[in-house]
């Protein structure tokens, strides 16, 4: 089995090396940010990125195979996004309408200074099926390359290629129509 | 693959103007790294026994080889045998750490370290065997010798194990409230990350939390056990009063006496007085629980001591606490900064053993999302 440079960082962090954990944060925070951005409102993402790493910190020592760190961290990020929706307004959430709203990460109002065009583009990506939206956000928003996305998320190169290609194809169709779809196409 | 896809793939080849335009437009959402503030008290070093951090990278290949070999033998020599299909649903990985644990009546040999535990199956360890259970979205659970566990549920957001007897060490990274362990005298609900749960043959139990916090529940009696604390539970009685393990021996003895004495008896009153007189601010954990386990004049005394050690937060009034106003009790719990009680309330509402009456039993948001296949 090939050992990546990150494996050594993970091992060091497991032994209590905070500097190593800090390096892992630097290397993976972009991925975590992208995963969260594909699921929760943009205004919530920065705080949740910190939450994900703080949640991962005490559990890291229990990770048996260090090579699984990227996929493990991605799972924590996805779980955190699920938890965010679950815990948001826990007492007045039970309606179909609110469920639809919750499933749409763009439902929060954009900050007043942000570009309408940029939000429209983000909306278009977020209307794609989840698999495509996560990969496209990592590529188009976070600026990661396909190989980087594969390495960071634990997906195969082939899966990332397919997600990028098909996702971009659907995104082009949406943008050509001039209006983003509502809801996912799952 | 066309050149445009090369640019989309890794930025090489002829730039695709549409992709470039989107990159530029979406740059405002790009991650800007903020310094990560690590809590000083959080240890990176495992609090779990070292056996849990075991690496067997060759296990999947070995398991695959074993499966192929076994299948070949069956096909070659036993063509008439009726093959029982494996149980349906997702299985949890079982790694043999020591000895010969069993799934049902089948032993897991030393070399067969990547077995699966399916819903409905029982995993047993004898005096010389240990195993590790793991599930990708959940976490890892080490099972000590002389233990018996049964997998009850393994859904996407509800995972449930039954610990009939023995000891487990759980390190959980699933969202709070998703992992539950049934014991003969209480159920343990994971609200954080790491704990050890022990059940004796008579059904009594003990829980020790090392990271995060855990809820212990039986018949409307709840105990919350944060990191550094422990709690016992007894059949038909339920969870006792939790306490921090660094409390003095006399404090712990008095609390034990209180928990095991007839309510209102002289022994209970004397033990309560000893608990109150020896409690520290940190023991607000214990005092908060005692509020609902006392009545009348005793509750007044508990409140007086608790309020002296932990000032009531805004929105909490003495009279409200004395009548056990649940909202005020929740606010007071949160003032202890041991965990957000809304997580527990959410669990009670959505997954607890006493959900809302049918007329009010509405689907949770996650269930709605799952029905629509929209849950992440």
């Amino acid at each position: 089995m090939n050992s990546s440079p990150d494996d050594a960082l993970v091992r060091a962090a497991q032994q209590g090396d905070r500097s190593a954990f800090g390096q892992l944060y630097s290397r993976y925070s972009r991925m975590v940010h992208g995963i969260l951005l594909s699921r929760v409102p943009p205004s919530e993402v920065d705080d949740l990125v910190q939450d994900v790493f703080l949640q991962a910190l005490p559990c890291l020592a229990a990770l048996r195979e260090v090579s699984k760190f990227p996929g493990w961290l991605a799972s924590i990020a996805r779980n955190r996004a699920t938890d965010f929706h679950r815990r948001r307004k826990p007492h007045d959430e039970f309606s179909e309408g609110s469920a639809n709203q919750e499933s749409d990460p763009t439902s929060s109002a954009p900050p007043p200074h942000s570009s309408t065009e940029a939000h429209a583009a983000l909306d278009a990506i977020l209307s794609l099926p989840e698999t495509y939206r996560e990969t496209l956000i990592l590529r188009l928003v976070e600026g990661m390359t396909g190989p980087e996305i594969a390495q960071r998320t634990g997906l195969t190169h082939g899966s990332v290629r397919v997600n990028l290609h098909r996702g971009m194809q659907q995104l082009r169709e949406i943008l050509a129509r001039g209006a983003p779809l509502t809801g996912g196409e799952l | 693959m066309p050149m445009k896809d090369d640019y989309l793939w890794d930025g090489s080849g002829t730039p695709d103007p549409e992709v470039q335009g989107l990159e530029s437009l979406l740059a405002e959402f790009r991650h800007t790294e903020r310094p990560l503030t690590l809590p000083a008290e959080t240890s990176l070093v495992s609090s779990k026994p070292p056996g849990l951090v075991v690496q067997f990278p060759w296990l999947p290949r070995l398991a695959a080889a074993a499966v192929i070999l076994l299948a070949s033998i069956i096909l070659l020599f036993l063509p008439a045998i009726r093959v029982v299909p494996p149980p349906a649903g997702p299985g949890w990985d079982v790694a043999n750490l020591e000895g010969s644990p069993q799934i049902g009546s089948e032993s897991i040999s030393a070399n067969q370290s990547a077995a699966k535990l399916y819903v409905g199956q029982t995993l047993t360890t004898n005096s010389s065997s240990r195993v590790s259970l793991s599930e990708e979205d959940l976490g890892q659970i080490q099972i000590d010798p002389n233990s018996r566990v049964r997998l009850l549920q393994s859904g996407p957001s509800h995972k449930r194990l039954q610990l009939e007897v023995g000891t487990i060490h759980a390190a959980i990274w699933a969202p709070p409230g998703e992992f539950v362990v049934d014991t003969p005298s209480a159920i343990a609900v994971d609200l954080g990350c790491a704990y050890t749960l022990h059940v004796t043959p008579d059904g009594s139990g003990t829980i020790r939390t090392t990271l995060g916090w855990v809820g212990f529940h039986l018949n409307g009696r709840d105990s919350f056990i944060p990191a550094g604390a422990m709690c016992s539970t007894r059949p038909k009685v339920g969870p006792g009063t939790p306490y921090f393990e660094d409390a003095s021996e006399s404090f712990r003895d008095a609390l034990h006496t209180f928990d095991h004495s007839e309510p209102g008896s002289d022994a209970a009153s004397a033990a309560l007085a000893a608990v109150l007189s020896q409690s520290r601010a940190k023991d607000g954990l214990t005092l908060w629980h005692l509020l609902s386990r006392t009545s009348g004049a005793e509750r007044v005394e508990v409140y007086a001591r608790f309020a002296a050690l932990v000032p009531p937060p805004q929105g909490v009034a003495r009279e409200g606490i004395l009548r056990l106003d649940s909202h005020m009790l929740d606010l007071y719990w949160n003032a202890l900064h041991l965990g957000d009680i809304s997580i527990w309330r959410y669990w009670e509402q959505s997954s607890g053993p006493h959900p809302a009456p049918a007329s009010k039993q509405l689907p949770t948001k996650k269930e709605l999302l799952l029905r629509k296949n929209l849950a992440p």
Side-chain angles (χ1 to χ4, degrees):
Chain A
M1 184 176 287
N2 292 333
S3 178
S4 89
D6 290 347
D7 291 356
L9 286 175
V10 176
R11 281 194 200 92
Q14 284 184 324
Q15 298 302 314
D17 185 338
R18 284 173 173 249
S19 158
F21 190 78
Q23 288 184 60
L24 288 171
Y25 170 73
S26 291
R27 292 172 69 81
Y28 285 90
S29 54
R30 210 158 40 126
M31 174 197 80
V32 170
H33 188 273
I35 288 173
L36 291 167
L37 185 62
S38 67
R39 289 168 171 81
V40 303
S43 57
E44 306 285 349
V45 173
D46 283 345
D47 285 346
L48 292 178
V49 170
Q50 299 262 326
D51 280 2
V52 167
F53 280 90
L54 291 179
Q55 190 184 339
L57 172 68
C59 299
L60 182 60
L63 182 69
R64 282 187 300 156
E65 293 183 40
V66 292
S67 62
K68 290 192 172 172
F69 174 78
W72 175 77
L73 187 65
S75 290
I76 292 179
R78 293 180 192 116
N79 282 339
R80 186 67 190 87
T82 305
D83 194 40
F84 168 83
H85 289 295
R86 191 174 67 172
R87 287 165 60 180
R88 205 172 168 202
K89 298 179 192 169
H91 299 295
D92 59 0
E93 62 186 356
F94 306 113
S95 72
E96 290 286 327
S98 67
N100 281 332
Q101 270 195 334
E102 287 296 321
S103 69
D104 176 4
T106 66
S107 60
S108 72
H113 60 274
S114 69
S115 138
T116 309
E117 215 179 345
H119 270 279
L122 186 63
D123 284 353
I125 296 176
L126 294 176
S127 69
L128 296 171
E130 182 182 300
T131 320
Y132 300 157
R133 98 168 82 117
E134 181 179 302
T135 309
L136 274 185
I137 281 182
L138 291 173
R139 173 67 186 88
L140 298 175
V141 179
E142 306 299 345
M144 295 166 68
T145 65
E148 269 184 300
I149 295 169
Q151 193 273 326
R152 291 282 190 268
T153 60
L155 292 173
T156 63
H157 279 214
S159 298
V160 174
R161 255 189 201 278
V162 168
N163 291 345
L164 283 177
H165 181 73
R166 291 185 183 164
M168 195 62 209
Q169 206 169 25
Q170 290 194 15
L171 182 60
R172 284 193 172 101
E173 288 167 13
I174 293 168
L175 295 173
R177 285 202 297 270
L181 296 172
T182 53
E185 290 186 333
L186 304 176
Chain B
M1 189 75 62
M3 292 296 274
K4 280 186 175 181
D5 272 358
D6 285 342
Y7 181 76
L8 181 62
W9 172 242
D10 60 6
S12 67
T14 309
D16 180 333
E18 199 168 12
V19 173
Q20 273 189 319
L22 282 167
E23 285 178 305
S24 164
L25 194 60
L26 293 165
E28 71 175 73
F29 298 109
R30 186 167 295 172
H31 176 49
T32 311
E33 191 176 322
R34 291 193 315 188
L36 178 66
T37 309
L38 298 178
E41 68 275 17
T42 304
S43 169
L44 279 171
V45 181
S46 173
S47 53
K48 305 257 91 17
L52 192 60
V53 189
V54 179
Q55 297 175 37
F56 296 121
W58 39 265
L59 280 185
R61 285 180 201 164
L62 185 66
V67 168
I68 291 168
L69 183 64
L70 187 63
S72 305
I73 291 171
I74 290 171
L75 286 174
L76 193 61
F77 295 107
L78 301 169
I81 197 168
R82 187 172 65 88
V83 178
V84 179
W92 293 15
D93 292 330
V94 181
N96 181 356
L97 301 178
E98 194 177 352
S100 301
Q102 288 186 317
I103 294 177
S105 57
E106 301 295 318
S107 289
I108 310 168
S109 68
N111 294 331
Q112 186 204 333
S113 304
K116 291 270 189 187
L117 182 71
Y118 292 94
V119 170
Q121 290 186 320
T122 301
L123 179 62
T124 312
T125 56
N126 60 20
S127 60
S128 59
S129 55
R130 288 187 307 128
V131 288
S132 171
L133 266 180
S134 60
E135 206 272 345
E136 194 178 5
D137 292 331
L138 173 75
Q140 292 176 337
I141 299 146
Q142 181 182 302
I143 298 162
D144 277 1
N146 295 319
S147 303
R148 191 164 58 248
V149 301
R150 187 158 177 258
L151 181 56
L152 299 177
Q153 200 175 3
S154 186
S157 58
H158 297 289
K159 301 176 201 311
R160 202 172 192 110
L161 208 60
Q162 182 178 30
L163 175 61
E164 294 175 20
V165 69
T167 305
I168 63 170
H169 308 275
I172 306 300
W173 48 75
E178 287 198 3
F179 178 57
V180 172
V181 181
D182 287 15
T183 78
S185 56
I187 62 171
V189 182
D190 169 71
L191 301 168
C193 180
Y195 62 89
T196 293
L197 180 59
H198 174 68
V199 172
T200 61
D202 72 359
S204 300
T206 312
I207 196 161
R208 284 186 146 90
T209 308
T210 42
L211 290 164
W213 59 306
V214 178
F216 235 178
H217 175 96
L218 183 75
N219 296 337
R221 190 175 165 99
D222 299 332
S223 287
F224 304 131
I225 307 101
M230 66 177 294
C231 184
S232 299
T233 180
R234 289 178 292 156
K236 297 180 183 172
V237 176
T241 311
Y243 57 91
F244 280 106
E245 291 192 72
D246 64 357
S248 67
E249 193 176 342
S250 53
F251 177 93
R252 286 184 277 140
D253 286 346
L255 190 62
H256 181 268
T257 303
F258 174 81
D259 276 349
H260 288 74
S261 300
E262 189 68 30
S265 66
D266 289 347
S269 296
L272 181 64
V275 167
L276 296 182
S277 67
Q278 294 178 54
S279 53
R280 311 157 294 170
K282 186 178 181 181
D283 298 318
L285 163 71
T286 301
L287 301 190
W288 183 88
H289 285 84
L290 287 175
L291 286 168
S292 56
R293 291 162 194 216
T294 51
S295 58
E298 285 188 340
R299 185 178 298 159
V300 173
E301 286 174 28
V302 173
Y303 176 80
R305 182 63 177 154
F306 186 31
L309 294 169
V310 183
Q314 196 171 8
V316 171
R318 178 179 181 275
E319 294 311 314
I321 293 295
L322 293 181
R323 66 169 185 271
L324 301 183
D325 178 291
S326 59
H327 177 63
M328 289 193 195
L329 282 171
D330 285 1
L331 286 174
Y332 218 160
W333 169 265
N334 284 344
L336 293 170
H337 303 293
L338 297 172
D340 181 352
I341 204 164
S342 66
I343 300 171
W344 178 261
R345 298 296 172 223
Y346 178 83
W347 177 81
E348 279 186 323
Q349 215 176 41
S350 62
S351 318
H354 302 293
S359 59
K360 293 182 180 175
Q361 201 171 340
L362 299 166
T364 65
K365 181 173 296 172
K366 188 163 187 178
E367 286 165 345
L368 289 171
L369 296 175
L370 285 169
R371 281 181 203 168
K372 291 167 168 289
N373 280 338
L374 290 174

